[in-house]
Amino acid sequence: MTLLAVLLAGGALVIGTISGRAPTSLAGAVTRTGPATAPLPMPTPQPTSTGPARPPPTGSQHPAVVPTFNRSARSIDGPTSLWVVVDKILPLQPADYTPPDLVEVPVPHIWSPLLRAEASKAVVAMFAAFTTEKGLQLQSHSAYRSYSTQLDVYNKDVAANGQAFADTSTARPGTSEHQTGLAIDISALPGDCSLDPCFGTTAHGQWLAQNAWRFGFLLRYPADKVQITGYAYEPWHFRYVGVDLSTEMHNSGVTTLEEFFGLPAAPGYH
């Protein structure tokens, strides 16, 4: 019996080794008949965080709309429009047009100036700002001119200098910005380089060139745009177009109405 027990124990050890199960003690062994234990599930891999969690997006995800300047907001043909373009190939219609709201401009002057009401207020504000900022004074040299007055000015220029020269410095009647009631010739007070290109080198002319846009004015005939405007450099001639347009032109760096509105250059009359 002892030998038999030894042989049985040895067999159980061999069987356990082959099956991978540990041998069960023969003495007092209890056989389990219940279900086998299910294997534990594998853990789910978690994403590795590289920083703080981003908050969920809020609001509209559409790209912001950048407002653009509306170049068709006003007419460039109608004589009463602040944006009307008048040059050697774009005369006023009608040629003898007279602005409906001319008023006297209460600023120092050589000849009593008339301008359209909105332009007049802008001139007053501009002159006051210049005096405040520079401690100097400006004056109006010439403002509104009627068709008949422009005819007289042009004929005198032709008589004195010939038509070829006159056409570079004086508009023919019906094609002058002065007739719109929106243009003004400005000089220093007391006079210094009045109606002369050297006005652009004075403190008065330099301030106007740099700041007139703030008040809705455009230096209409720049030195580098003669082939566009058809006129020689006039650092004294300023045209009122309104603050919205003058600001847009200043910010975009476009200096002539012809270029801004995509119009043909006007170096000469048709």
Side-chain angles (χ1 to χ4, degrees), residues 59-205:
S60 173
Q61 298 304 302
H62 297 294
V65 177
V66 179
T68 57
F69 187 83
N70 183 3
R71 301 186 186 212
S72 61
R74 297 178 186 264
S75 170
I76 60 173
D77 302 312
T80 61
S81 172
L82 296 182
W83 293 1
V84 63
V85 181
V86 181
D87 59 29
K88 292 180 178 180
I89 63 175
L90 295 171
L92 284 166
Q93 298 292 340
D96 61 351
Y97 163 76
T98 300
D101 57 344
L102 291 172
V103 297
E104 291 188 4
V105 188
V107 295
H109 55 268
I110 294 177
W111 289 284
S112 182
L114 296 176
L115 285 176
R116 292 185 58 186
E118 185 174 334
S120 173
K121 292 178 182 179
V123 167
V124 172
M126 183 166 67
F127 279 30
F130 172 76
T131 297
T132 298
E133 296 176 23
K134 301 298 291 185
L136 301 170
Q137 285 190 293
L138 296 167
Q139 65 181 339
S140 169
H141 202 96
S142 179
Y144 168 72
R145 294 200 291 263
S146 67
Y147 180 94
S148 60
T149 299
Q150 189 66 28
L151 177 61
D152 183 58
V153 171
Y154 178 76
N155 286 339
K156 287 180 178 178
D157 198 0
V158 171
N161 302 295
Q163 186 171 29
F165 178 84
D167 281 341
T168 67
S169 60
T170 304
R172 296 180 184 180
T175 66
S176 172
E177 285 198 326
H178 285 284
Q179 194 177 328
T180 67
L182 298 171
I184 183 171
D185 292 339
I186 302 171
S187 60
L189 179 64
D192 183 13
C193 289
S194 298
L195 304 186
D196 192 282
C198 68
F199 180 70
T201 66
T202 66
H204 305 70

Side-chain angles (χ1 to χ4, degrees), residues 35-55:
T37 303
L40 296 175
M42 294 296 291
T44 303
Q46 299 297 317
T48 302
S49 175
T50 58
R54 293 184 178 181

